[in-house]
């Protein structure tokens, strides 16, 4: 069973930079896993931030960026704002038509 | 792009439910579509997707054989037939556009309880 791993929680100061990562139990993550990133605040639908590793979804500010760092997919938020406080999920294509979400990272801005 | 889910309800364990997703603002017949859920206290779970003409469906193991994804391109609609429901299927169910889930609906709540 493929497991996608994320940091359970992270904290960043207002105006600061934070990098959240997404790994795979079976090995390194590469662009061929088409990593994407989603933001969800309580009571709201998820919002797509990044797809195919580093392509920003329409309307997403450029302080959100995606990349591959080492063996993991990464979401970097620069100039963190209070309303960035949310849950963040990565999604990976694991083959056979199947996609798997990571467990999510709860980001606190304080 | 506007997606509206419907059909969520309270159902007993072992029961069935059919969710619908009405899509507008996109060329529905040329888009993969998918279903995702979020159970209380848990994270997002990818459930299933379907290709443009409905000939390919993919499912996560936890729902394979119980849930069926389908679509009606003439009505710009996506469906999720859920059978043999379990308490652990209680969640908000979202439909989304594309294999990488570019646009999302607001979700519909399914509660499985006796």
């Amino acid at each position: 069973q493929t497991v996608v791993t994320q940091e359970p929680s992270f904290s960043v100061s207002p105006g600061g930079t934070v990098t959240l990562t997404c790994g795979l139990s079976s090995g390194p993550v590469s662009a061929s896993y088409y990593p994407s990133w989603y933001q969800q605040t309580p009571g709201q639908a998820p919002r797509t931030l990044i797809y195919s590793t580093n392509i920003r979804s329409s309307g997403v500010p450029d302080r959100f960026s995606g990349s591959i760092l080492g063996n993991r997919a990464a979401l970097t938020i620069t100039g963190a704002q209070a309303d960035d406080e949310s849950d963040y999920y990565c999604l990976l294509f694991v083959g056979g038509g199947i996609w798997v979400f990571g467990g999510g990272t709860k980001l606190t801005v304080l | 792009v506007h997606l509206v889910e419907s059909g969520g309800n309270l159902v007993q364990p072992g029961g069935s439910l059919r969710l619908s997703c009405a899509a507008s603002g996109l060329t529905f017949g040329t888009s993969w579509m998918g279903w995702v859920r979020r159970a209380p206290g848990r994270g997002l779970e990818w459930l299933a997707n379907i290709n443009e003409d409905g000939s390919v469906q993919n499912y996560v193991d936890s729902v394979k054989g119980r849930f069926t994804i389908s679509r009606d391109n003439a009505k710009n609609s996506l469906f999720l037939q859920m059978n043999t429901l379990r308490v652990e299927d209680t969640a908000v169910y979202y439909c989304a556009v594309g294999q990488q889930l570019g646009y999302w609906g607001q979700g519909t709540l399914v509660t499985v309880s006796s």
Side-chain angles (χ1 to χ4, degrees):
Chain A
Q1 180 179 344
T2 301
V3 177
V4 177
T5 59
Q6 296 183 245
E7 300 87 0
S9 62
F10 232 115
S11 181
V12 63
S13 300
T17 296
V18 62
T19 297
L20 312 181
T21 71
C22 175
L24 201 53
S25 59
S26 55
V29 176
S30 67
S32 62
Y33 289 90
Y34 300 95
S36 47
W37 292 90
Y38 308 85
Q39 176 192 52
Q40 189 177 32
T41 52
Q44 299 291 317
R47 171 196 183 195
T48 306
L49 298 174
I50 301 286
Y51 62 95
S52 295
T53 306
N54 56 12
I55 301 175
R56 264 186 300 277
S57 191
S58 176
V60 174
D62 59 7
R63 55 196 190 79
F64 291 90
S65 61
S67 63
I68 300 291
L69 287 181
N71 291 332
R72 300 175 72 88
L75 173 71
T76 299
I77 307 172
T78 57
Q81 301 177 359
D83 60 6
D84 294 335
E85 188 161 291
S86 296
D87 294 330
Y88 291 84
Y89 295 90
C90 68
L91 177 70
L92 299 179
F93 176 67
V94 297
I98 304 301
W99 298 74
V100 179
F101 278 103
T105 297
K106 183 177 182 62
L107 180 67
T108 302
V109 180
L110 52 74
Chain B
V1 176
H2 192 50
L3 304 173
V4 179
E5 301 93 337
S6 61
N9 211 332
L10 170 64
V11 61
Q12 291 189 338
S16 297
L17 213 52
R18 189 190 197 210
L19 305 185
S20 300
C21 171
S24 59
L26 75 161
T27 309
F28 183 78
T30 62
S31 301
W32 279 75
M33 298 293 296
W35 288 99
V36 173
R37 69 184 178 188
R38 185 168 186 182
R42 300 179 66 91
L44 296 175
E45 181 181 18
W46 181 92
L47 296 179
N49 66 9
I50 187 168
N51 74 335
E52 297 91 337
D53 65 5
S55 61
V56 175
Q57 305 99 40
N58 300 296
Y59 300 92
V60 68
D61 283 348
S62 60
V63 307
K64 199 177 295 184
R66 299 190 300 126
F67 290 11
T68 302
I69 188 172
S70 63
R71 65 191 296 159
D72 184 341
N73 287 347
K75 295 183 178 179
N76 286 0
S77 293
L78 176 73
F79 307 101
L80 186 68
Q81 177 67 43
M82 305 187 294
N83 298 330
T84 320
L85 283 162
R86 306 166 179 166
V87 171
E88 56 265 34
D89 293 319
T90 295
V92 176
Y93 286 72
Y94 300 96
C95 65
V97 179
Q99 293 199 65
Q100 294 185 72
L101 312 175
Y103 298 96
W104 297 70
Q106 286 301 304
T108 187
L109 175 63
V110 172
T111 303
V112 185
S113 174
S114 54

